[in-house]
Amino acid sequence: MTVNPTEEFRAQLRDWLQENCPQEMRDGGLAENAICWGGKNWVFTSDAQKQWLERCAAKGYTVPTWPVEYGGAGLTRDQEKIFHEEMGAINARSPLQSFGIWMLGPALLHFGSHEQKLHYLPPIARGEVRWCQGYSEPGAGSDLANVQTKGEDKGDHWLVNGQKIWTSYADQADWIFALVRTDKDAPKHKGISFLLCDMEQAGVETRPIKMISGISPFCETFFTDAKIPKEQIVGTENRGWDVAKYLLTHEREMISGGGAGLSGGGRALGAVISDTMEEMDATLRADAMRCEIDALSIGLTLERYKDQAEAGQGAGDASAMLKYMGTELNKQRHELMMSAGGSDALEWDGPLGNRAGDWLRTKANSIEGGTSEVMLSIVSRRVLGLPA
């Protein structure tokens, strides 16, 4: 009898998941306090969370499609689909979430040297190093190419001075990847380099930004005569904009996937709502179904773009469309959960947890990774070809 390799892989994976995924990790785990971010200072919420990360990292399942030599499992695109299907079948939590996985990793795989990949990627895959993103500045948000954080060439290193803002989780990160102007006389899209910097070194300071949600993932980051060695540049000097654009595409795809409820496991919206309502009224039920259908639609669209990327065609400017839709879906989902929770959902630490804080946090989705207005402008001009 001929063995189907695809079905054989699925069966082996299913057996492995059943044997290795702790029961405690089979709840979807989309709440903020259920996420494992990893890093040098990460404190596991339970032994089960630690075991799940270690077991997945040992198999390369935190980054399933990365090459084995860089900490991944070396899965094909079709195998990756099966992996996510089987994870979803048992409602398994994502073992690790990380800006290193979503953003820096793809950039390093595309632009980094072999030595850089060997040095930086495996610790990301094992959850040993946590990264943050140093892009936005007080005068360079939507106009990102206007960055003014500067790096002076000192021979074997750059001396970096400047400020970043809205640096998510900078106060908890070990390293930062940052856009730094290394040629002040070049046009603004030129003269920018993509640098990697240790957050614990002298000259780097972070200050959390308080938000209405009560949660403060955002920070200001200051560089004061911070020394960044020359070998910590990714790509070509003064061509960091190429790396930045490539990374932004992956960031927007990541945000769209999170908005659609596609990152990791996750229960259907209707099931979450039914936990807090004995009987769902018809209007809320219809809205929940519409949101779920939209989530499935964007999920299929994401899969299509991933298949195109496998064939050498990335999402490109269409990532703006994905990011916008993911943002809107996430906001809709939390609006519906607030409606279902009634007065209990207004409490910051009540029977439904911090549902109000989670709802308020979604408002930042319209800003991070590119504002909704900028995303719509990109879609209209570069995807639909409408006049400026």
Side-chain angles (χ1 to χ4, degrees), residues 67-143:
V68 174
E69 63 179 327
Y70 303 140
L75 300 189
T76 66
R77 178 75 184 100
D78 287 340
Q79 288 174 329
E80 182 196 23
K81 291 179 183 178
I82 293 171
F83 174 79
H84 289 302
E85 287 171 2
E86 293 302 320
M87 287 276 285
I90 63 169
N91 215 24
R93 290 189 192 181
S94 170
L96 178 67
Q97 297 198 32
S98 163
F99 294 161
I101 292 174
W102 299 325
M103 294 185 277
L104 179 61
L108 279 174
L109 286 168
H110 191 78
F111 292 96
S113 66
H114 178 61
E115 291 73 23
Q116 287 176 329
K117 294 173 187 177
L118 285 175
H119 182 75
Y120 294 109
L121 293 178
I124 292 173
R126 295 191 296 265
E128 296 171 353
V129 177
R130 185 172 181 177
W131 287 82
C132 63
Q133 178 189 48
Y135 272 24
S136 296
E137 298 182 4
S142 297
D143 185 14

Side-chain angles (χ1 to χ4, degrees), residues 282-301:
T283 300
L284 188 59
R285 184 185 300 277
D287 288 341
M289 291 176 64
R290 187 178 299 110
C291 189
E292 283 295 290
I293 291 170
D294 287 344
L296 288 170
S297 298
I298 194 173
L300 292 171
T301 304

Side-chain angles (χ1 to χ4, degrees), residues 185-296:
D185 298 320
K188 69 178 188 178
H189 284 84
K190 310 293 184 181
I192 296 173
S193 295
F194 189 99
L195 306 181
L196 310 178
C197 177
D198 188 338
M199 295 291 283
E200 294 182 351
Q201 73 177 58
V204 182
E205 177 192 0
T206 63
R207 301 175 192 169
I209 299 172
K210 293 183 179 180
M211 296 203 311
I212 192 172
S213 65
I215 306 167
S216 182
F218 300 121
C219 298
E220 296 176 283
T221 303
F222 299 89
F223 298 92
T224 307
D225 289 339
K227 297 179 180 179
I228 300 183
K230 284 290 182 72
E231 62 266 22
Q232 290 171 203
I233 182 175
V234 178
T236 306
E237 182 177 338
N238 298 328
R239 293 292 301 273
W241 188 245
D242 296 338
V243 185
K245 289 191 300 180
Y246 184 85
L247 187 147
L248 277 172
T249 298
H250 285 273
E251 179 186 14
R252 289 166 183 166
E253 289 177 4
M254 173 270 292
I255 293 173
S256 68
L262 303 169
S263 54
R267 302 169 63 211
L269 177 60
V272 175
I273 290 177
S274 67
D275 286 345
T276 54
M277 298 186 73
E278 290 187 6
E279 186 172 343
M280 200 185 312
D281 67 73
T283 300
L284 188 59
R285 184 185 300 277
D287 288 341
M289 291 176 64
R290 187 178 299 110
C291 189
E292 283 295 290
I293 291 170
D294 287 344
L296 288 170

Side-chain angles (χ1 to χ4, degrees), residues 4 33 36 71-72 96 101 114 132 153 165 172 224 228-229 248 260 271 282 286 293-294 318-319 323-324 344 352 374:
N4 185 316
N33 61 5
C36 177
L96 178 67
I101 292 174
H114 178 61
C132 63
D153 192 335
I165 197 166
Q172 300 173 47
T224 307
I228 300 183
L248 277 172
I293 291 170
D294 287 344
S319 64
K323 191 271 177 182
Y324 176 79
D344 286 342
L352 300 180
V374 170

